[in-house]
Amino acid sequence: MTDDIRLEAGTNDARASIDVRIDTPGREGLTGTAPADLFKPLQEAEHITIAPDWQPMDRQPAWRTDFPIDWPQDHYVERRDFMKFMVLTSLALTVGQFWIAYRNWWRRWRGEPEIQRVATLAEVPVGSVRTFTYPGPQDDCVLVRTGEHAFVAYSQKCTHLSCAVRPRVAEGVIHCPCHEGYFDLGSGRPVAGPPRRPLPLVRLQIRGDQIYAIGVEERTV
Amino acid sequence: MSVSRPFTRQQRTTVIHGMLAFVLILVLLQLWLLTATMNSYLGGDDSVIWPAAGASVLCLLLNVGLLRYLYHLDRARR
């Protein structure tokens, strides 16, 4: 094709330098009239992020750099924000550790609970169960008389998810109906089901015909 | 004389993948520490509380250090 656009002499038109022939070197395959190097990228391909207003990225507002249009940049921003979130989670877990330390300090500062009368010997026949609260009104406990001179008492809160446990004296176990957990009646240790820690043991003292609770022993095994 | 060049975007993405893997492992470790400490506390054993808190702080400092490096990478790009 040899059709050239000839402009009048003296015309100050940028198109005057454009060679519209499409068979010139470097322009093979192009169908327009623009020279081949007009669309040469100004930077590396992976760095091109095109904003809607066509301005350079360093002139864009912060929100536009945080929500870029091209996917590689979007992926980078996603992972960067996820990493920030993970560091926040790390901070929260550390705060949790110090919260446990504070609770432990408060437990130590509170000290041993007061001695409390639970029942008389006559009120608890052999093989029977009696509930009481110790050391506070929200701390439900169970007292079981397993023999003529044998008593055991535990917190009634299951160590799995705090359901109320029920002693089965005849079977020698303490049963948690929520998730079928079982504790040994004599030791309070878990023998079946999801619980992993023994029931807190309530220490008892017999004074005459009175049964007193004198403390709570929490155990890990 | 060597010229310090900023990382390319692909290189930065690789770096952040590595940092994320490390941070995730540390966060999982902290989660385990918290559950183990809570279990001990509920069982009346307070001997592990402060060592676990110290280990958790160490993990947090590592994570914050990695995050600071990430900010440094982004600043260097600009």
Side-chain angles (χ1 to χ4, degrees):
Chain A
M1 180 184 293
T2 57
D3 294 335
D4 288 345
I5 293 178
R6 302 291 178 192
L7 300 174
E8 294 179 4
T11 303
N12 188 18
D13 191 329
R15 294 177 298 169
S17 61
I18 295 174
D19 185 348
V20 301
R21 293 177 301 175
I22 63 173
D23 59 348
T24 52
R27 295 184 59 233
E28 293 85 356
L30 293 178
T31 57
T33 57
D37 60 354
L38 182 66
F39 300 108
K40 185 174 68 176
L42 301 176
Q43 55 186 358
E44 292 180 36
E46 67 171 37
H47 288 157
I48 293 177
T49 296
I50 303 171
D53 60 2
W54 296 85
Q55 294 297 315
M57 286 310 290
D58 53 3
R59 288 190 205 166
Q60 300 298 328
W63 66 265
R64 192 166 273 160
T65 58
D66 280 347
F67 295 95
I69 295 172
D70 60 304
W71 284 110
Q73 183 67 8
D74 185 63
H75 288 154
Y76 175 78
V77 170
E78 269 179 5
R79 281 147 182 77
R80 184 185 66 191
D81 288 349
F82 184 59
M83 180 148 165
K84 291 179 189 174
F85 175 71
M86 280 290 104
V87 174
L88 260 179
T89 306
S90 174
L91 176 66
L93 292 172
T94 305
V95 168
Q97 289 283 356
F98 282 95
W99 174 251
I100 295 175
Y102 163 74
R103 292 283 302 182
N104 184 60
W105 169 84
W106 185 80
R107 183 170 66 180
R108 284 188 155 202
W109 178 83
R110 192 181 53 182
E112 287 289 325
E114 294 181 356
I115 298 174
Q116 176 181 309
R117 180 189 161 281
V118 176
T120 62
L121 292 177
E123 289 172 343
V124 191
V126 175
S128 69
V129 176
R130 185 177 181 86
T131 58
F132 63 103
T133 59
Y134 181 77
Q138 306 295 330
D139 304 313
D140 296 318
C141 301
V142 286
L143 169 68
V144 183
R145 188 170 188 176
T146 57
E148 184 64 33
H149 304 286
F151 297 86
V152 288
Y154 303 103
S155 168
Q156 203 178 13
K157 268 191 203 170
C158 179
T159 54
H160 178 225
L161 289 178
S162 303
C163 284
V165 296
R166 300 173 187 173
R168 292 181 180 173
V169 184
E171 297 170 35
V173 294
I174 301 174
H175 175 238
C176 177
C178 285
H179 306 101
E180 298 301 315
Y182 289 88
F183 301 86
D184 176 61
L185 184 62
S187 62
R189 291 186 166 81
V191 293
R196 286 290 172 267
R197 278 181 290 109
L199 289 170
L201 177 74
V202 178
R203 291 197 301 270
L204 302 170
Q205 194 177 67
I206 311 294
R207 299 177 185 174
D209 67 338
Q210 304 291 326
I211 305 172
Y212 289 86
I214 62 173
V216 178
E217 183 184 328
E218 288 165 339
R219 302 163 293 169
T220 52
V221 291
Chain B
M1 185 176 80
S2 64
V3 178
S4 165
R5 298 167 109 187
F7 286 127
T8 64
R9 186 163 67 188
Q10 190 174 3
Q11 288 172 327
R12 282 203 314 279
T13 305
T14 304
V15 167
I16 202 172
H17 281 155
M19 287 201 287
L20 254 181
F22 201 60
V23 165
L24 281 172
I25 290 171
L26 286 174
V27 168
L28 283 175
L29 177 66
Q30 282 186 282
L31 185 62
W32 172 80
L33 272 173
L34 185 69
T35 53
T37 307
M38 179 62 81
N39 194 51
S40 296
Y41 164 76
L42 290 173
D45 178 13
D46 56 3
S47 61
V48 298
I49 290 177
W50 286 112
S56 195
V57 167
L58 184 65
C59 290
L60 176 66
L61 290 176
L62 282 170
N63 287 334
V64 169
L66 285 171
L67 187 65
R68 281 192 65 186
Y69 180 64
L70 177 65
Y71 283 130
H72 170 74
L73 272 184
D74 281 346
R75 269 200 301 274
R77 173 176 69 92
R78 290 176 191 152

